[in-house]
Amino acid sequence: MLISLYGEEEGVLEKEKVIEKKANDFVIHMKVEREKSGIEVHHSLQYIGEGAVEILHQTPLISVSLLDKNHDFTGSLIQKKLNKGNIYYQESKILSPIDVKGECNLYVRAKFLVNNKLVNIDHVEPLMFN
């Protein structure tokens, strides 16, 4: 059980989830698990197309948030070459506990360029909190 600054009980993730979202030649892999200060989201981007590609992205490559659909991508472009099957791991994101119980949406967006074409991968995953 987590207690908020206001003395109220906050929601705790009911169960861990493993999520895959496929879009064209890419797959976003995510694992959502309980963490002592909220939830932790592990995430990566896998290239499953043929040959090699080069992607350009701002930070973060994959944005995750609870309750809020807005995503903030900032900074200079980062260049990454991926071959078929390569997984581009991202730093885990810890999201603070929420003060609601029941269902809450996890909003996910990956945004990057491939061959000068913008790729947006959006996903909404319902999570249950007790």
Side-chain angles (χ1 to χ4, degrees):
M1 170 186 350
L2 298 171
I3 305 296
S4 75
L5 297 174
Y6 307 105
E8 298 172 7
E9 206 177 295
E10 293 183 328
V12 176
L13 184 65
E14 185 176 277
K15 65 178 182 175
E16 295 182 353
K17 275 196 163 183
V18 175
I19 306 155
E20 287 187 356
K21 172 69 176 185
K22 184 175 185 268
N24 300 321
D25 291 339
F26 297 92
V27 179
I28 295 176
H29 299 279
M30 292 170 280
K31 181 178 181 182
V32 182
E33 59 188 6
R34 285 183 212 141
E35 210 273 338
K36 63 183 174 185
S37 59
I39 63 170
E40 186 168 10
V41 182
H42 305 276
H43 50 289
S44 61
L45 180 72
Q46 182 177 19
Y47 174 62
I48 56 173
E50 295 298 322
V53 294
E54 199 165 83
I55 67 169
L56 296 169
H57 70 89
Q58 290 180 293
T59 303
L61 168 61
I62 303 168
S63 175
V64 295
S65 66
L66 284 173
L67 303 174
D68 189 7
K69 295 182 197 179
N70 296 330
H71 297 277
D72 191 21
F73 299 92
T74 60
S76 301
L77 289 175
I78 297 169
Q79 188 173 2
K80 180 72 173 177
K81 183 178 178 182
L82 299 171
N83 293 306
K84 182 177 183 169
N86 284 159
I87 298 176
Y88 187 14
Y89 292 97
Q90 302 298 296
E91 185 175 330
S92 296
K93 175 87 174 178
I94 295 178
L95 301 173
S96 298
I98 56 171
D99 59 358
V100 296
K101 292 183 181 180
E103 190 173 282
C104 178
N105 287 330
L106 176 70
Y107 296 96
V108 180
R109 171 174 281 172
K111 180 179 167 185
F112 53 95
L113 292 167
V114 177
N115 299 327
N116 292 321
K117 292 184 181 178
L118 181 63
V119 176
N120 274 310
I121 303 172
D122 289 303
H123 181 71
V124 178
E125 184 69 27
L127 301 175
M128 287 300 295
F129 290 85
N130 295 326

